[in-house]
Amino acid sequence: MVNIIRSIRFTIVFAVILGIFYPLAVLGIGQWFFPWQANGSLVTFHHHKVGSMLIAQAVNQPGLFQPRPSAVQYNADGSGGSNLGPTNPALLKEIQQNIQKIEKQNPNIPIQEIPTSMVESSASGLDPDITLRDAQLQISRIAQTTGLSKNWLEQLIKKDTIHPTFGIWGCLCSM
């Protein structure tokens, strides 16, 4: 009987510590030291919240940088990849459709130069970053559509490039 009472007491104490105090402490630390990140890294436009820096959105305008394809149509409620194997006909069909979309949007890019990152969805389906190569390949289309100079777009990419950390993790462009 003594062991049962100890077990119940132990369970109650740790439920309070780990279920109430610890989450509140982590919340407080996050809000105090990292308020922008803790609240979702939200982006505002004309005083309206339009998205998060952490979640890609479907882009239909040719004058904007296109994110990686998404297996979940950029729905943050259902994050995840397609989980289709490399020989699965559905994956091959999806990749072929993405290649056709890239060819249509960027006729100046030869098909053999289209990187896999432009036609295969990310593991989460929500990754907002694109590779440096993906950004550079889109410069001609964006310059032609918007009238911005290629040089200005190259400088924009250079400014927003996240270089490898410790020389290990790749080069990303945060567009």
Side-chain angles (χ1 to χ4, degrees):
M1 187 66 168
V2 172
N3 286 336
I4 292 174
I5 293 173
R6 278 188 192 151
S7 298
I8 292 171
R9 229 182 359 210
F10 184 83
T11 301
I12 292 171
V13 168
F14 276 91
V16 170
I17 291 172
L18 299 175
I20 298 173
F21 292 130
Y22 177 75
L24 286 175
V26 171
L27 176 69
I29 290 168
Q31 291 295 327
W32 183 261
F33 292 106
F34 311 103
W36 188 71
Q37 294 90 335
N39 291 311
S41 304
L42 299 177
V43 177
T44 56
F45 183 71
H46 295 298
H47 307 291
H48 293 0
K49 291 179 177 119
V50 295
S52 170
M53 290 287 292
L54 305 174
I55 300 174
Q57 295 182 10
V59 175
N60 299 319
Q61 298 172 341
L64 299 174
F65 286 95
Q66 304 291 320
R68 288 185 70 171
S70 174
V72 294
Q73 284 68 49
Y74 308 102
N75 181 356
D77 291 339
S79 167
S82 67
N83 294 331
L84 299 174
T87 59
N88 190 312
L91 177 64
L92 299 175
K93 181 181 176 187
E94 177 187 329
I95 290 172
Q96 189 59 40
Q97 288 173 342
N98 291 337
I99 288 172
Q100 290 171 354
K101 181 180 174 185
I102 297 297
E103 284 180 305
K104 182 179 176 187
Q105 292 173 339
N106 306 282
N108 62 320
I109 304 174
I111 190 167
Q112 63 272 19
E113 288 187 28
I114 298 174
T116 57
S117 56
M118 287 183 89
V119 295
E120 294 178 354
S121 60
S122 67
S124 69
L126 304 173
D127 187 8
D129 298 321
I130 58 176
T131 67
L132 184 57
R133 180 76 178 134
D134 292 358
Q136 291 168 337
L137 287 172
Q138 296 182 57
I139 288 175
S140 293
R141 171 182 44 82
I142 294 170
Q144 184 179 11
T145 303
T146 63
L148 297 170
S149 75
K150 290 182 181 182
N151 185 39
W152 188 87
L153 289 167
E154 288 168 0
Q155 293 303 314
L156 176 69
I157 291 170
K158 187 176 182 180
K159 180 181 76 71
D160 287 336
T161 298
I162 301 168
H163 293 282
T165 306
F166 307 119
I168 300 173
W169 296 284
C171 214
L172 296 174
C173 212
S174 190
M175 291 287 139

